[in-house]
Amino acid sequence: MPHSSNLVAIYPGSFDPLTNGHLDLIERARAICGHLVVAILSNEDKKPAFTASERVEMVREAVADSGFKKVVVDSFDGLLVDYAAARGASMIVRGIRAISDYEYEMQMTLMNRRLRPEIETVFLIPNEAYSFLSSRIVKEVFRLGGNVSGLVPPAVEMRLRNRIHERSDC
Ligand code: PNS
């Protein structure tokens, strides 16, 4: 695929926490744009297990460890398309794991298109090894004592371990 060096893309999400499926998507998105912004929704109403700054730190660490260049990690509040426009992005990247993701993604895409038609959303499919993986399921399995190694970066696993010891509601 041709590399568009001027294209700024946004990969938004909650990343609570980052999984290897997200990292796979970051790598794929990087291959098709010149500059990628991983945008972490800071909205505390969702009662995340990790604060926005913890999630930003986790993603920054993993991106640096993976050696991905031209990837910026930031947090945002408010409308995604307004944040994307402020960052000069013309593309939103989302991952689709299974058909069950499609309805929610279509709703968001069409609403975002209505708000800012100039910003296109593209969908990437992660490696099939991660098609069952979600942050929610990682937290649940980890909390119940299951093994999540290979599903999240080691640094995330360590933070999960610390967080689960501190709290019982994540
Ligand atoms: O990883 P997630 O939780 O599925 O990501 C959802 C996210 C952050 C992409 C979505 O909730 C979002 O864009 N929120 C920002 C608020 C917004 O723009 N809402 C209108 C989009 S329909």
Side-chain angles (χ1 to χ4, degrees):
M1 182 179 288
H3 189 272
S4 177
S5 55
N6 293 325
L7 181 71
V8 179
I10 299 268
Y11 176 33
S14 303
F15 302 98
D16 186 43
L18 176 79
T19 69
N20 286 344
H22 293 130
L23 268 182
D24 179 84
L25 242 284
I26 292 172
E27 187 171 14
R28 286 171 202 283
R30 259 293 301 126
I32 58 170
C33 66
H35 196 88
L36 181 69
V37 180
V38 180
I40 301 177
L41 180 67
S42 59
N43 189 356
E44 302 291 328
D45 293 350
K46 279 194 172 183
K47 293 209 175 6
F50 295 96
T51 65
S53 51
E54 286 172 324
R55 285 176 277 145
V56 167
E57 260 177 45
M58 273 190 268
V59 180
R60 281 192 184 144
E61 277 165 15
V63 162
D65 289 349
S66 305
F68 298 151
K69 302 275 185 272
K70 296 192 180 168
V71 177
V72 167
V73 184
D74 191 14
S75 61
F76 77 102
D77 256 326
L79 281 179
L80 170 63
V81 286
D82 289 347
Y83 173 78
R87 299 281 325 203
S90 54
M91 190 191 272
I92 294 169
V93 176
R94 291 283 289 171
I96 292 245
R97 291 161 298 192
I99 289 292
S100 48
D101 286 336
Y102 180 82
E103 197 170 335
Y104 170 56
E105 294 299 332
M106 193 186 74
Q107 272 183 345
M108 278 204 300
T109 298
L110 295 180
M111 180 54 81
N112 286 336
R113 182 180 290 167
R114 188 171 191 277
L115 295 168
R116 284 200 189 253
E118 67 279 13
I119 300 179
E120 199 62 72
T121 300
V122 302
F123 295 102
L124 299 177
I125 295 181
N127 187 305
E128 68 272 18
Y130 305 124
S131 44
F132 66 94
L133 190 56
S134 70
S135 299
R136 186 190 59 77
I137 220 160
V138 161
K139 283 182 286 194
E140 182 171 326
V141 168
F142 193 88
R143 186 167 48 82
L144 298 173
N147 183 0
V148 296
S149 64
L151 302 179
V152 296
V156 170
E157 199 178 336
M158 205 161 72
R159 282 174 188 260
L160 270 169
R161 190 165 296 122
N162 296 338
R163 185 50 36 95
I164 299 291
H165 284 155
E166 289 163 17
R167 283 170 52 175
S168 54
D169 62 340
C170 61

